[in-house]
């Protein structure tokens, strides 16, 4: 065999061997049969300053079209060694944009509130001035703001809407001053003393003797109470995604720490679950209440009740702060120093038990105590005639609120007893309520409105 013939046969053999290799390379580039690659084979991203520039000249396939660069997936199968490539290049897994570069997360912008700018990652004290008649002597209301460095929800806390309710003021102070804005996702806005007039006077009401929590969302040109409500709602509350309105009992009554929430609203139900083991009481809000106005505007809101008026109760405050810390954890806003994962008692039904006569009230039960049907909750005795009567539990339940020992009149709301329900029972109740609220075919038969079952001067 001549040397020329030998060289010809060798060349033909090499061509035959190269053909399947080229086909495999095209299949790999198409993303159909990608083989694992080692860490040092991972292609750097085009914008990586420490790596070589991305290849731009690619061989054409059989159809004459350009194949995609090795680091950009062209099909549903991820590129080779995807996890290793992300670790080496610092990619956080953000989907790439049209150019192949990962899209950067939206930056957190400075917060614009009350005419001021709060930089990212800072804590600041702003001031809200309600629309009142004497501008020259008006005292601005402090508003505490912690604006985080990462995207997240805006949570608002309001306290002392009733000026004699002090526990919420202390809850806001403790929580706000333990926040680290550079470790926070989202924003927390705390208004420790909404009703500054009432607070100064030790009164539940505004200086015009109105209950501020009956006037939301307010009117710009309405009564004094309506103007204050409108100013708070427009300037602060509308900036919230979530709202927790902090209250206590009223008129010498104390409340077991609890959430008041409309358990027929699915968003509110989901939000209430974020507070850990705090008791939840189904309480449809009345027109004019802050949480009702907030929910009507798409802001998820609940009321937190804890303790009684005109006093600072450390146990109630600590209980509330722990629930708020758990809320921040469950909203992915920050890691909590204390996380509350206890089962959450839910009371779908509750009732105020009233005194049948006037006299001196002396209780025989304590707050949060389990009671049985027929059990004596307390007695009311006429101090002159020495005649009295007992207040009896009408059903099994728990004492969620009660009056302190005092002189009462006939009809005074003395004990709030709640019936605990399972999650299944609560859901069934909600479904029944939705069915009842749906208009019935064949006519609209209206029933007379019933008197709301509230104590004199409701606790919310």
């Amino acid at each position: 065999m001549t040397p020329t013939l030998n060289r010809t046969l060798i060349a033909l053999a090499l061509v035959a061997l190269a053909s399947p290799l080229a086909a495999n390379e095209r299949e790999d580039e198409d993303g159909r049969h990608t083989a694992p690659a080692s860490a040092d084979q991972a292609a750097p991203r085009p914008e990586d300053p420490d790596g070589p520039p991305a290849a731009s000249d690619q061989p054409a396939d059989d159809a004459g079209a350009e194949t995609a660069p090795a680091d950009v997936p062209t099909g549903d199968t991820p590129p080779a060694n995807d996890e290793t490539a992300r670790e080496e290049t610092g990619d956080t897994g953000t989907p790439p944009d049209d150019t192949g570069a990962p899209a950067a997360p939206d930056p957190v912008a400075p917060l614009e509130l009350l005419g001021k700018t709060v930089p990212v990652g800072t804590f600041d004290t702003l001031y809200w001035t309600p629309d009142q008649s004497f501008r020259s002597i008006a005292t601005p209301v402090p508003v505490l703001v912690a604006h985080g460095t990462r995207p997240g929800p805006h949570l608002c806390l309001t306290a002392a809407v009733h000026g004699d309710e002090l526990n919420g003021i202390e809850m806001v102070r403790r929580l706000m001053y333990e926040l680290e804005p550079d470790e926070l996702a989202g924003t927390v806005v705390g208004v420790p003393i909404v009703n500054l007039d009432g607070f100064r006077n030790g009164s539940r009401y505004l200086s015009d003797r109105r209950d501020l929590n009956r006037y939301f969302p307010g009117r710009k040109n309405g009564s004094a109470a309506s103007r204050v409500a409108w100013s708070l709602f427009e300037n602060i509350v509308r900036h919230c995604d979530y709202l927790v309105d902090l209250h206590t009992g009223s008129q010498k009554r104390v409340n077991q720490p609890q959430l008041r929430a409309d358990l027929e609203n699915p968003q509110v139900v989901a939000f209430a679950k974020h507070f850990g083991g705090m008791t939840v009481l189904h309480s449809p809000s009345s027109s004019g209440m802050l949480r009702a106005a907030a929910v009507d505007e798409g802001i998820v809101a609940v009321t937190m009740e804890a303790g009684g008026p005109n006093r600072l109760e450390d146990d109630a405050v600590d209980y509330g702060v722990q629930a708020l810390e758990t809320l921040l954890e469950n909203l992915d806003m920050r890691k909590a120093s204390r996380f509350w994962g206890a089962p959450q008692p839910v009371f779908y039904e509750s009732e105020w038990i009233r005194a049948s006569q006037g006299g001196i009230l002396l209780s025989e039960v304590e707050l949060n105590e389990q009671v049985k049907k027929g059990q004596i909750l307390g007695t009311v005795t006429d101090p002159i005639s020495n005649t009295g009567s007992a207040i009896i539990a009408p059903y099994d339940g728990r004492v969620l609120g009660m009056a302190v020992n005092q002189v009462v009149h006939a009809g005074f709301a003395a004990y709030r007893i709640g019936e605990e329900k399972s999650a299944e029972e609560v859901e069934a109740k909600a479904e029944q309520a939705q069915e009842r609220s749906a208009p019935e075919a064949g006519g609209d038969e209206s029933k007379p409105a019933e008197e709301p079952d509230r104590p004199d001067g409701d606790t919310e």
Side-chain angles (χ1 to χ4, degrees):
M1 187 177 292
T2 65
T4 301
L5 181 58
N6 285 337
R7 285 194 296 269
T8 301
L9 292 175
I10 292 172
L12 291 173
L14 290 175
V15 170
L17 290 172
S19 296
L21 291 176
N24 287 339
E25 287 174 0
R26 284 196 298 271
E27 288 179 343
D28 289 348
E29 290 166 357
D30 288 342
R32 291 187 291 269
H33 299 288
T34 305
S38 62
D40 55 355
Q41 291 174 322
R45 294 180 297 164
E47 71 275 17
D48 187 350
D50 297 324
S56 58
D57 296 327
Q58 298 294 334
D61 59 13
D62 293 341
E66 282 191 355
T67 57
D71 54 10
V72 179
T74 60
D76 294 334
T77 305
N81 206 20
D82 186 62
E83 291 295 328
T84 305
R86 279 202 296 267
E87 290 176 3
E88 289 195 343
T89 60
D91 190 355
T92 60
T94 306
D97 59 21
D98 293 339
T99 66
D106 293 335
V108 177
L111 176 68
E112 302 293 335
L113 187 67
L114 296 170
K116 302 293 183 181
T117 300
V118 181
V120 174
T122 62
F123 184 98
D124 204 352
T125 302
L126 309 182
Y127 293 93
W128 161 60
T129 304
D131 186 11
Q132 294 176 315
S133 56
F134 282 85
R135 290 183 178 274
S136 59
I137 62 173
T139 302
V141 176
V143 178
L144 306 177
V145 179
H147 187 40
T149 57
R150 292 177 286 121
H154 285 211
L155 171 67
C156 293
L157 310 173
T158 51
V161 169
H162 296 131
D164 61 351
E165 298 179 352
L166 308 183
N167 287 336
I169 300 173
E170 178 63 4
M171 289 182 202
V172 173
R173 183 195 69 82
R174 290 189 189 181
L175 182 72
M176 294 301 300
Y177 281 99
E178 73 177 35
L179 297 177
E180 298 291 343
D182 57 348
E183 299 176 0
L184 182 68
T187 304
V188 182
V189 177
V191 190
I193 309 172
V194 172
N195 181 0
L196 194 55
D197 284 344
F199 172 75
R200 286 170 168 166
N201 298 324
S203 170
R204 174 182 177 86
Y205 305 106
L206 291 167
S207 56
D208 68 352
R209 297 173 297 176
R210 287 186 169 94
D211 186 334
L212 178 59
N213 207 29
R214 300 296 178 269
Y215 285 86
F216 289 100
R219 289 191 297 127
K220 185 177 183 179
N221 298 315
S223 66
S226 190
R227 292 178 185 225
V228 172
W230 181 88
S231 179
L232 178 75
F233 203 85
E234 293 299 318
N235 290 292
I236 297 175
V237 176
R238 284 194 184 277
H239 296 268
C240 310
D241 298 313
Y242 301 102
L243 172 71
V244 183
D245 190 24
L246 305 171
H247 286 263
T248 74
S250 68
Q251 310 295 339
K252 299 182 180 179
R253 298 179 182 88
V254 294
N255 285 324
Q256 168 70 11
Q258 62 193 249
L259 298 178
R260 303 275 180 87
D262 183 357
L263 298 183
E264 295 174 5
N265 184 315
Q267 289 183 309
V268 173
V269 171
F271 184 54
K273 291 179 179 179
H274 288 336
F275 288 78
M278 176 167 274
T279 294
V280 180
L281 176 62
H282 173 52
S283 178
S285 53
S286 301
S287 176
M289 288 184 177
L290 176 54
R291 68 177 168 104
V295 171
D296 287 345
E297 292 297 322
I299 301 162
V300 183
V302 297
T303 296
M304 181 186 293
E305 294 270 353
N310 289 309
R311 67 180 77 181
L312 276 169
E313 300 159 293
D314 190 64
D315 287 346
V317 170
D318 189 66
Y319 201 100
V321 172
Q322 185 175 356
L324 292 173
E325 290 174 340
T326 304
L327 171 65
L328 292 175
E329 169 87 24
N330 285 327
L331 290 177
D332 295 325
M333 297 181 72
R334 71 186 281 262
K335 291 293 182 182
S337 56
R338 300 178 295 176
F339 186 81
W340 195 359
Q344 189 173 46
V346 178
F347 296 85
Y348 196 87
E349 295 179 350
S350 65
E351 180 182 350
W352 277 103
I353 314 303
R354 299 176 182 272
S356 60
Q357 72 169 65
I360 297 175
L361 170 67
L362 294 173
S363 292
E364 297 188 15
V365 294
E366 295 181 352
L367 199 62
N368 203 36
E369 182 177 330
Q370 288 275 13
V371 296
K372 297 292 185 181
K373 181 179 179 180
Q375 181 177 340
I376 296 177
L377 304 174
T379 58
V380 178
T381 305
D382 186 317
I384 306 302
S385 65
N386 198 34
T387 58
S389 62
I391 302 176
I392 306 296
Y395 49 80
D396 295 349
R398 185 185 295 273
V399 181
L400 301 178
M402 60 183 291
V404 300
N405 291 337
Q406 58 186 287
V407 176
V408 301
H409 298 283
F412 184 84
Y415 305 94
R416 188 164 197 165
I417 308 299
E419 287 186 281
E420 188 168 357
K421 300 291 183 181
S422 67
E424 293 77 12
E425 289 175 304
V426 170
E427 292 174 359
K429 289 278 188 182
E431 291 176 0
Q432 292 172 6
Q434 290 177 350
E435 291 174 358
R436 288 196 303 268
S437 64
E440 296 183 1
D444 181 15
E445 297 183 2
S446 300
K447 295 183 179 180
E450 297 181 356
E451 180 183 356
D453 186 22
R454 301 179 192 158
D456 317 309
D458 199 1
T459 57
E460 183 181 344

